[in-house]
Amino acid sequence: MSVTKSTEGAIAVKLDLMSPPESAKKLENKDSTFLDESPSESPGLKKTKGITVIQALIHLVKGNMGTGILGLSLAVKNAGILMGPLSLLVMGLIACHCMHILVRCAQRFCKRLNKPFMDYGDTVMHGLEASPSAWLQNHAHWGRHIVSFFLIVTQLGFCCVYIVFLADNLKQVVEAVNSTTNNCHSNETVILTPTMDSRLYMLSFLPLLVLLVFIRNLRILTIFSMLANISMLVSLVIITQYITQEIPDPSRLPLVASWKTYPLFFGTAIFSFESIGVVLPLENQMKNARHFPAILSLGMSIVTSLYISIATLGYLRFGDDIKASISLNLPNCWLYQSVKLLYIAGILCTYALQFYVPAEIIIPFAISRVSTRWALPLDLSIRLAMVCLTCILAVLIPRLDLVISLVGSVSSSALALIIPPLLEVTTFYSEGMSPLTIFKDALISILGFVGFVVGTYQALDELLKSGDSPPFSNSTTFLR
């Protein structure tokens, strides 16, 4: 679907919705959206073009649909066939509520400060300025820095996930190439041909990724965005039609999984839902922003329903054999092998777009401190260092499920669950808030913080326990 999260988080797939100056600042992420790190004022967006209700709904759904959806079936396994879907529903409701909080706070400050648009970072900064605490008011500028930090961590985390995903899927395709057939309904066991270590596959992608991130023109990158959208959409449709076939008896699956694996579910799920930054640019671009709250509720309802459906069907279809990505469970025939290749192409295109976000935050800050003569060499050097960093991190953590859970727990929980409720308190406390609202906001933030701590600990613990075991389970045998 959209070059994500999600996105999880950070890409503008429609340049015609924005003028060039703003487009360089409006990429965002979980799986591919608009960057919430846009300028605090963007009259060009406000005055020139606007999107309709239907267009806003499509962008919202696209912005939430990314690679995270392919890992949700394993997340349901970590929670249980009953607890998993129920938890996804609750998390979807909370994520949607936090998005509404962010929109409401941004609207309040836009009216108060007479600004046409305000991004996530600016909203948090002004929220701290409005708080009753003098210390928070004096350190309000740190609000924007915190949002930028977590956005950078989230986007680079997405890039790490993409590298592991690329290596995982390409390794399986290469190992099965000699036994791949045109028969997608055979039920015979396929012995895969061992190839090089998955980490070497990751390193083999590095030169191509470096070339992609050296593309600094956003208009060129959006061409890759459209290609990624098409390839991932086709792949997801094919995957969905496959997992709805021949579902076995679900009674063998546990209703509630072990509590020890539930934190892994939390990290993966919040990774998929972390696209909160898309809402403010979308709201700003609508012809009639008054309709946006209803569009937000409808769009998140569609996304949550799709997440629950595909995650549950995937776990029902494959049971305990479900892998970190549903694509790794597909049969060994050319139709489904092409799905993996399409996703590989889509993720390659998406990597450069997700990478654009932290690059646009870090590089301007760095080159502003050197002469014009050294600006371009420093720009390219930082891009090279950052893409190498994501590759190194992927090599160090070559478990796709753990990378997704770790990124979700560390950064996505902060942007999607912890910060928005606290922002509501600082924004409206001086105007009077009911104790119930304050309790609700505190509860959501505490749950997000607990998920952050426990999810991060559990992902790191699982990583340490894995030791020297093979990073991928798909390198042995599977049925076709």
Side-chain angles (χ1 to χ4, degrees):
M1 301 292 290
S2 177
V3 276
T4 161
K5 211 126 86 318
S6 111
T7 196
E8 344 133 346
I11 292 142
V13 294
K14 293 289 183 183
L15 270 180
D16 60 326
L17 298 180
M18 59 186 75
S19 56
E22 288 83 19
S23 68
K25 295 289 186 181
K26 284 187 176 169
L27 296 172
E28 162 46 33
N29 136 1
K30 274 233 222 100
D31 277 324
S32 0
T33 58
F34 302 87
L35 173 61
D36 72 90
E37 293 298 311
S38 50
S40 58
E41 297 186 42
S42 49
L45 278 174
K46 185 80 175 181
K47 304 300 182 183
T48 56
K49 298 183 180 180
I51 58 176
T52 65
V53 168
I54 298 300
Q55 289 173 328
L57 178 63
I58 292 174
H59 282 303
L60 183 62
V61 174
K62 286 172 61 182
N64 279 273
M65 302 296 288
T67 54
I69 192 174
L70 299 182
L72 284 177
S73 293
L74 181 61
V76 170
K77 175 187 174 182
N78 289 328
I81 192 61
L82 176 62
M83 180 63 72
L86 289 178
S87 298
L88 281 175
L89 176 61
V90 172
M91 191 165 291
L93 292 174
I94 294 176
C96 181
H97 177 67
C98 288
M99 291 178 184
H100 279 287
I101 289 176
L102 180 61
V103 170
R104 189 163 61 250
C105 292
Q107 289 175 341
R108 175 58 57 92
F109 290 120
C110 283
K111 293 179 181 178
R112 183 181 300 176
L113 302 174
N114 195 28
K115 290 187 176 182
F117 176 76
M118 194 165 293
D119 66 19
Y120 198 162
D122 281 336
T123 303
V124 172
M125 181 179 68
H126 291 301
L128 294 178
E129 291 175 347
S131 68
S133 170
W135 188 88
L136 289 178
Q137 293 175 11
N138 294 332
H139 296 81
H141 63 281
W142 283 101
R144 166 168 278 286
H145 298 331
I146 290 173
V147 171
S148 296
F149 170 77
F150 280 113
L151 184 61
I152 290 172
V153 173
T154 299
Q155 297 307 122
L156 292 181
F158 287 158
C159 291
C160 294
V161 170
Y162 292 162
I163 292 176
V164 179
F165 182 92
L166 289 169
D168 201 336
N169 283 268
L170 183 61
K171 179 180 172 68
Q172 192 181 73
V173 171
V174 172
E175 290 182 344
V177 67
N178 292 330
S179 54
T180 301
T181 69
N182 294 321
N183 185 0
C184 295
H185 304 287
S186 176
N187 195 32
E188 63 182 272
T189 300
V190 175
I191 307 298
L192 301 182
T193 304
T195 60
M196 60 185 180
D197 187 270
S198 60
R199 296 170 178 85
L200 297 179
Y201 279 94
M202 297 179 195
L203 293 175
S204 67
F205 279 108
L206 184 57
L208 180 57
L209 294 175
V210 170
L211 293 177
L212 286 174
V213 302
F214 278 177
I215 300 175
R216 299 182 298 155
N217 189 318
L218 185 60
R219 291 188 179 275
I220 296 178
L221 289 180
T222 51
I223 298 175
F224 290 100
S225 172
M226 290 189 294
L227 294 176
N229 287 335
I230 295 172
S231 64
M232 296 169 73
L233 172 61
V234 172
S235 299
L236 192 58
V237 170
I238 297 176
I239 290 174
T240 303
Q241 66 85 25
Y242 176 74
I243 62 177
T244 56
Q245 303 174 15
E246 302 177 5
I247 296 178
D249 182 11
S251 61
R252 58 191 173 84
L253 303 176
L255 296 179
V256 181
S258 170
W259 64 271
K260 294 182 179 179
T261 59
Y262 191 84
L264 296 177
F265 162 85
F266 172 85
T268 304
I270 197 61
F271 174 92
S272 302
F273 278 112
E274 200 289 298
S275 59
I276 191 169
V278 68
V279 298
L280 294 183
L282 272 181
E283 187 239 0
N284 180 61
Q285 293 169 39
M286 286 193 66
K287 292 179 179 178
N288 191 341
R290 290 178 299 176
H291 295 152
F292 186 72
I295 294 302
L296 179 58
S297 298
L298 177 59
M300 290 306 297
S301 298
I302 294 173
V303 169
T304 303
S305 300
L306 288 173
Y307 279 1
I308 294 175
S309 300
I310 293 180
T312 305
L313 287 172
Y315 183 40
L316 287 173
R317 178 67 175 82
F318 301 112
D320 291 335
D321 294 326
I322 188 68
K323 294 182 172 62
S325 171
I326 297 180
S327 62
L328 301 175
N329 286 96
L330 297 178
N332 186 36
C333 67
W334 283 116
L335 173 62
Y336 297 111
Q337 295 294 71
S338 66
V339 168
K340 300 170 192 174
L341 295 176
L342 280 173
Y343 248 104
I344 288 172
I347 293 303
L348 276 174
C349 297
T350 304
Y351 182 96
L353 290 159
Q354 297 285 20
F355 185 90
Y356 190 93
V357 181
E360 284 302 299
I361 296 175
I362 295 173
I363 293 176
F365 174 80
I367 63 177
S368 65
R369 282 155 175 76
V370 299
S371 63
T372 307
R373 174 186 176 185
W374 296 101
L376 181 58
L378 181 60
D379 184 323
L380 299 180
S381 298
I382 293 176
R383 291 174 185 272
L384 177 61
M386 290 173 63
V387 71
C388 289
L389 175 63
T390 60
C391 189
I392 291 172
L393 292 176
V395 169
L396 293 176
I397 313 176
R399 286 273 304 273
L400 181 60
D401 54 334
L402 296 185
V403 176
I404 292 176
S405 182
L406 192 60
V407 172
S409 299
V410 170
S411 56
S412 299
S413 58
L415 292 174
L417 298 180
I418 299 176
I419 296 178
L422 298 179
L423 174 63
E424 183 177 37
V425 173
T426 59
T427 301
F428 297 102
Y429 185 82
S430 60
E431 302 177 12
M433 295 180 65
S434 68
L436 183 61
T437 301
I438 296 176
F439 174 78
K440 177 263 299 179
D441 288 339
L443 180 61
I444 294 176
S445 289
I446 291 172
L447 290 176
F449 182 76
V450 171
F452 162 78
V453 175
V454 178
T456 301
Y457 170 80
Q458 187 65 26
L460 293 175
D461 183 60
E462 288 290 325
L463 178 64
L464 294 176
K465 285 181 179 179
S466 64
D468 297 328
S469 60
F472 302 114
S473 60
N474 63 291
S475 58
T476 53
T477 63
F478 63 92
L479 295 179
R480 75 164 188 260

